[in-house]
PDB file of all heavy atoms in Angstrom:
ATOM      1  N   TYR A  23       4.463   1.050  10.996  1.00  0.00           N
ATOM      2  CA  TYR A  23       3.834   0.346   9.874  1.00  0.00           C
ATOM      3  C   TYR A  23       2.622  -0.456  10.359  1.00  0.00           C
ATOM      4  O   TYR A  23       2.541  -0.878  11.514  1.00  0.00           O
ATOM      5  CB  TYR A  23       4.856  -0.589   9.215  1.00  0.00           C
ATOM      6  CG  TYR A  23       4.379  -1.235   7.941  1.00  0.00           C
ATOM      7  CD1 TYR A  23       3.982  -0.464   6.853  1.00  0.00           C
ATOM      8  CD2 TYR A  23       4.324  -2.620   7.816  1.00  0.00           C
ATOM      9  CE1 TYR A  23       3.547  -1.062   5.676  1.00  0.00           C
ATOM     10  CE2 TYR A  23       3.892  -3.223   6.648  1.00  0.00           C
ATOM     11  CZ  TYR A  23       3.500  -2.432   5.582  1.00  0.00           C
ATOM     12  OH  TYR A  23       3.059  -3.023   4.417  1.00  0.00           O
ATOM     13  N   HIS A  24       1.655  -0.694   9.444  1.00  0.00           N
ATOM     14  CA  HIS A  24       0.363  -1.272   9.870  1.00  0.00           C
ATOM     15  C   HIS A  24       0.399  -2.779  10.122  1.00  0.00           C
ATOM     16  O   HIS A  24      -0.628  -3.391  10.417  1.00  0.00           O
ATOM     17  CB  HIS A  24      -0.739  -0.908   8.880  1.00  0.00           C
ATOM     18  CG  HIS A  24      -0.624  -1.547   7.517  1.00  0.00           C
ATOM     19  ND1 HIS A  24      -1.647  -1.473   6.585  1.00  0.00           N
ATOM     20  CD2 HIS A  24       0.349  -2.265   6.913  1.00  0.00           C
ATOM     21  CE1 HIS A  24      -1.294  -2.117   5.485  1.00  0.00           C
ATOM     22  NE2 HIS A  24      -0.086  -2.593   5.662  1.00  0.00           N
ATOM     23  N   ARG A  50      -9.960  -2.263   0.795  1.00  0.00           N
ATOM     24  CA  ARG A  50      -8.612  -2.265   0.260  1.00  0.00           C
ATOM     25  C   ARG A  50      -8.630  -2.192  -1.257  1.00  0.00           C
ATOM     26  O   ARG A  50      -7.677  -1.728  -1.889  1.00  0.00           O
ATOM     27  CB  ARG A  50      -7.865  -3.542   0.709  1.00  0.00           C
ATOM     28  CG  ARG A  50      -7.085  -3.391   1.999  1.00  0.00           C
ATOM     29  CD  ARG A  50      -5.928  -2.398   1.842  1.00  0.00           C
ATOM     30  NE  ARG A  50      -5.098  -2.744   0.696  1.00  0.00           N
ATOM     31  CZ  ARG A  50      -4.138  -3.650   0.757  1.00  0.00           C
ATOM     32  NH1 ARG A  50      -3.886  -4.300   1.892  1.00  0.00           N
ATOM     33  NH2 ARG A  50      -3.427  -3.946  -0.313  1.00  0.00           N
ATOM     34  N   TYR A  53      -8.039   1.220  -2.350  1.00  0.00           N
ATOM     35  CA  TYR A  53      -6.600   1.547  -2.279  1.00  0.00           C
ATOM     36  C   TYR A  53      -5.888   1.002  -3.524  1.00  0.00           C
ATOM     37  O   TYR A  53      -5.152   1.708  -4.208  1.00  0.00           O
ATOM     38  CB  TYR A  53      -6.002   0.931  -1.017  1.00  0.00           C
ATOM     39  CG  TYR A  53      -4.508   1.106  -0.839  1.00  0.00           C
ATOM     40  CD1 TYR A  53      -3.973   2.279  -0.320  1.00  0.00           C
ATOM     41  CD2 TYR A  53      -3.629   0.080  -1.170  1.00  0.00           C
ATOM     42  CE1 TYR A  53      -2.596   2.434  -0.140  1.00  0.00           C
ATOM     43  CE2 TYR A  53      -2.259   0.229  -0.994  1.00  0.00           C
ATOM     44  CZ  TYR A  53      -1.752   1.396  -0.484  1.00  0.00           C
ATOM     45  OH  TYR A  53      -0.399   1.540  -0.304  1.00  0.00           O
ATOM     46  N   GLN A  54      -6.159  -0.256  -3.847  1.00  0.00           N
ATOM     47  CA  GLN A  54      -5.471  -0.882  -5.006  1.00  0.00           C
ATOM     48  C   GLN A  54      -5.790  -0.131  -6.307  1.00  0.00           C
ATOM     49  O   GLN A  54      -4.912   0.126  -7.118  1.00  0.00           O
ATOM     50  CB  GLN A  54      -5.900  -2.357  -5.134  1.00  0.00           C
ATOM     51  CG  GLN A  54      -5.604  -3.215  -3.929  1.00  0.00           C
ATOM     52  CD  GLN A  54      -4.130  -3.212  -3.544  1.00  0.00           C
ATOM     53  OE1 GLN A  54      -3.782  -3.146  -2.381  1.00  0.00           O
ATOM     54  NE2 GLN A  54      -3.267  -3.238  -4.533  1.00  0.00           N
ATOM     55  N   LYS A  60      -1.901   7.115  -8.370  1.00  0.00           N
ATOM     56  CA  LYS A  60      -0.823   7.724  -7.570  1.00  0.00           C
ATOM     57  C   LYS A  60       0.501   7.642  -8.314  1.00  0.00           C
ATOM     58  O   LYS A  60       1.262   8.618  -8.379  1.00  0.00           O
ATOM     59  CB  LYS A  60      -0.766   7.005  -6.215  1.00  0.00           C
ATOM     60  CG  LYS A  60       0.285   7.456  -5.232  1.00  0.00           C
ATOM     61  CD  LYS A  60       1.626   6.773  -5.371  1.00  0.00           C
ATOM     62  CE  LYS A  60       1.572   5.284  -5.156  1.00  0.00           C
ATOM     63  NZ  LYS A  60       2.951   4.671  -5.187  1.00  0.00           N
ATOM     64  N   HIS A  84      -0.414  -3.084 -11.990  1.00  0.00           N
ATOM     65  CA  HIS A  84      -1.787  -3.031 -11.443  1.00  0.00           C
ATOM     66  C   HIS A  84      -2.842  -3.053 -12.538  1.00  0.00           C
ATOM     67  O   HIS A  84      -3.872  -3.697 -12.396  1.00  0.00           O
ATOM     68  CB  HIS A  84      -1.947  -1.794 -10.552  1.00  0.00           C
ATOM     69  CG  HIS A  84      -1.186  -1.928  -9.270  1.00  0.00           C
ATOM     70  ND1 HIS A  84      -1.644  -2.673  -8.213  1.00  0.00           N
ATOM     71  CD2 HIS A  84       0.032  -1.493  -8.892  1.00  0.00           C
ATOM     72  CE1 HIS A  84      -0.748  -2.653  -7.234  1.00  0.00           C
ATOM     73  NE2 HIS A  84       0.279  -1.940  -7.621  1.00  0.00           N
ATOM     74  N   TYR A 128      -3.672  10.230  -0.022  1.00  0.00           N
ATOM     75  CA  TYR A 128      -2.418   9.658  -0.551  1.00  0.00           C
ATOM     76  C   TYR A 128      -2.231  10.059  -2.013  1.00  0.00           C
ATOM     77  O   TYR A 128      -1.160  10.500  -2.435  1.00  0.00           O
ATOM     78  CB  TYR A 128      -2.438   8.140  -0.386  1.00  0.00           C
ATOM     79  CG  TYR A 128      -1.159   7.430  -0.794  1.00  0.00           C
ATOM     80  CD1 TYR A 128       0.087   8.048  -0.683  1.00  0.00           C
ATOM     81  CD2 TYR A 128      -1.199   6.126  -1.267  1.00  0.00           C
ATOM     82  CE1 TYR A 128       1.258   7.391  -1.043  1.00  0.00           C
ATOM     83  CE2 TYR A 128      -0.036   5.451  -1.642  1.00  0.00           C
ATOM     84  CZ  TYR A 128       1.178   6.094  -1.532  1.00  0.00           C
ATOM     85  OH  TYR A 128       2.348   5.432  -1.896  1.00  0.00           O
ATOM     86  N   THR A 146       6.696   2.412   2.541  1.00  0.00           N
ATOM     87  CA  THR A 146       6.025   1.499   3.485  1.00  0.00           C
ATOM     88  C   THR A 146       6.205   0.062   2.984  1.00  0.00           C
ATOM     89  O   THR A 146       6.215  -0.887   3.763  1.00  0.00           O
ATOM     90  CB  THR A 146       4.528   1.825   3.549  1.00  0.00           C
ATOM     91  OG1 THR A 146       4.051   2.122   2.235  1.00  0.00           O
ATOM     92  CG2 THR A 146       4.257   3.014   4.447  1.00  0.00           C
ATOM     93  N   GLU A 147       6.363  -0.080   1.662  1.00  0.00           N
ATOM     94  CA  GLU A 147       6.512  -1.426   1.081  1.00  0.00           C
ATOM     95  C   GLU A 147       7.802  -2.122   1.499  1.00  0.00           C
ATOM     96  O   GLU A 147       7.951  -3.326   1.286  1.00  0.00           O
ATOM     97  CB  GLU A 147       6.425  -1.358  -0.444  1.00  0.00           C
ATOM     98  CG  GLU A 147       5.007  -1.617  -0.919  1.00  0.00           C
ATOM     99  CD  GLU A 147       4.965  -2.231  -2.283  1.00  0.00           C
ATOM    100  OE1 GLU A 147       5.553  -1.619  -3.197  1.00  0.00           O
ATOM    101  OE2 GLU A 147       4.342  -3.289  -2.460  1.00  0.00           O
ATOM    102  N   ARG A 157       0.427 -12.947   6.195  1.00  0.00           N
ATOM    103  CA  ARG A 157      -0.984 -12.914   5.767  1.00  0.00           C
ATOM    104  C   ARG A 157      -1.317 -14.147   4.935  1.00  0.00           C
ATOM    105  O   ARG A 157      -2.344 -14.801   5.151  1.00  0.00           O
ATOM    106  CB  ARG A 157      -1.246 -11.640   4.971  1.00  0.00           C
ATOM    107  CG  ARG A 157      -2.678 -11.478   4.486  1.00  0.00           C
ATOM    108  CD  ARG A 157      -2.816 -10.229   3.665  1.00  0.00           C
ATOM    109  NE  ARG A 157      -2.511  -9.031   4.454  1.00  0.00           N
ATOM    110  CZ  ARG A 157      -2.177  -7.858   3.914  1.00  0.00           C
ATOM    111  NH1 ARG A 157      -2.080  -7.736   2.613  1.00  0.00           N
ATOM    112  NH2 ARG A 157      -1.940  -6.814   4.677  1.00  0.00           N
ATOM    113  N   TYR A 175      -2.881 -12.586  -5.553  1.00  0.00           N
ATOM    114  CA  TYR A 175      -2.336 -11.222  -5.419  1.00  0.00           C
ATOM    115  C   TYR A 175      -1.264 -11.191  -4.352  1.00  0.00           C
ATOM    116  O   TYR A 175      -0.188 -10.641  -4.549  1.00  0.00           O
ATOM    117  CB  TYR A 175      -3.423 -10.198  -5.066  1.00  0.00           C
ATOM    118  CG  TYR A 175      -2.835  -8.808  -5.016  1.00  0.00           C
ATOM    119  CD1 TYR A 175      -2.589  -8.105  -6.190  1.00  0.00           C
ATOM    120  CD2 TYR A 175      -2.439  -8.233  -3.800  1.00  0.00           C
ATOM    121  CE1 TYR A 175      -1.989  -6.860  -6.164  1.00  0.00           C
ATOM    122  CE2 TYR A 175      -1.832  -6.994  -3.765  1.00  0.00           C
ATOM    123  CZ  TYR A 175      -1.614  -6.312  -4.946  1.00  0.00           C
ATOM    124  OH  TYR A 175      -1.011  -5.085  -4.906  1.00  0.00           O
ATOM    125  N   ARG A 179       2.775 -10.230  -4.659  1.00  0.00           N
ATOM    126  CA  ARG A 179       3.367  -9.085  -3.957  1.00  0.00           C
ATOM    127  C   ARG A 179       4.570  -9.506  -3.102  1.00  0.00           C
ATOM    128  O   ARG A 179       5.423  -8.681  -2.789  1.00  0.00           O
ATOM    129  CB  ARG A 179       2.344  -8.390  -3.054  1.00  0.00           C
ATOM    130  CG  ARG A 179       1.328  -7.503  -3.685  1.00  0.00           C
ATOM    131  CD  ARG A 179       1.755  -6.606  -4.790  1.00  0.00           C
ATOM    132  NE  ARG A 179       2.644  -5.529  -4.491  1.00  0.00           N
ATOM    133  CZ  ARG A 179       3.071  -4.670  -5.394  1.00  0.00           C
ATOM    134  NH1 ARG A 179       2.723  -4.793  -6.641  1.00  0.00           N
ATOM    135  NH2 ARG A 179       3.888  -3.694  -5.057  1.00  0.00           N
ATOM    136  N   LYS A 214       2.428   8.270   5.189  1.00  0.00           N
ATOM    137  CA  LYS A 214       1.884   7.072   4.517  1.00  0.00           C
ATOM    138  C   LYS A 214       1.581   5.962   5.519  1.00  0.00           C
ATOM    139  O   LYS A 214       0.583   5.239   5.382  1.00  0.00           O
ATOM    140  CB  LYS A 214       2.891   6.588   3.489  1.00  0.00           C
ATOM    141  CG  LYS A 214       2.539   5.274   2.831  1.00  0.00           C
ATOM    142  CD  LYS A 214       1.257   5.333   2.033  1.00  0.00           C
ATOM    143  CE  LYS A 214       1.005   3.978   1.371  1.00  0.00           C
ATOM    144  NZ  LYS A 214       2.178   3.404   0.703  1.00  0.00           N
TER     145      LYS A 214
HETATM  146  O1  LIG B 301      -0.593  -4.236  -2.603  1.00  0.00           O
HETATM  147  C1  LIG B 301       0.134  -3.147  -2.252  1.00  0.00           C
HETATM  148  C2  LIG B 301       0.692  -2.324  -3.211  1.00  0.00           C
HETATM  149  O2  LIG B 301       0.537  -2.610  -4.507  1.00  0.00           O
HETATM  150  C3  LIG B 301       1.399  -1.203  -2.799  1.00  0.00           C
HETATM  151  C4  LIG B 301       2.067  -0.171  -3.609  1.00  0.00           C
HETATM  152  C5  LIG B 301       2.849   0.605  -2.575  1.00  0.00           C
HETATM  153  C6  LIG B 301       2.774   2.102  -2.787  1.00  0.00           C
HETATM  154  O3  LIG B 301       3.111   2.527  -3.896  1.00  0.00           O
HETATM  155  O4  LIG B 301       2.414   2.820  -1.826  1.00  0.00           O
HETATM  156  N1  LIG B 301       2.291   0.216  -1.297  1.00  0.00           N
HETATM  157  C7  LIG B 301       1.557  -0.918  -1.452  1.00  0.00           C
HETATM  158  C8  LIG B 301       1.015  -1.731  -0.475  1.00  0.00           C
HETATM  159  C9  LIG B 301       0.286  -2.870  -0.893  1.00  0.00           C
HETATM  160  N2  LIG B 301      -0.284  -3.740  -0.007  1.00  0.00           N
HETATM  161  C10 LIG B 301      -0.404  -3.337   1.385  1.00  0.00           C
HETATM  162  C11 LIG B 301      -0.867  -4.534   2.225  1.00  0.00           C
HETATM  163  O5  LIG B 301      -0.774  -4.472   3.455  1.00  0.00           O
HETATM  164  O6  LIG B 301      -1.361  -5.468   1.597  1.00  0.00           O
HETATM  165  C12 LIG B 301       0.869  -2.702   1.839  1.00  0.00           C
HETATM  166  C13 LIG B 301       1.076  -1.420   1.011  1.00  0.00           C
HETATM  167  C14 LIG B 301       2.295  -0.712   1.483  1.00  0.00           C
HETATM  168  O7  LIG B 301       3.075  -1.286   2.260  1.00  0.00           O
HETATM  169  O8  LIG B 301       2.439   0.499   1.174  1.00  0.00           O
END
Side-chain angles (χ1 to χ4, degrees):
Y23 187 59
H24 68 170
R50 269 295 308 277
Y53 177 82
Q54 301 303 138
K60 179 272 299 185
H84 289 282
Y128 185 30
T146 40
E147 266 209 305
R157 181 183 298 160
Y175 183 79
R179 283 319 292 181
K214 173 63 178 313

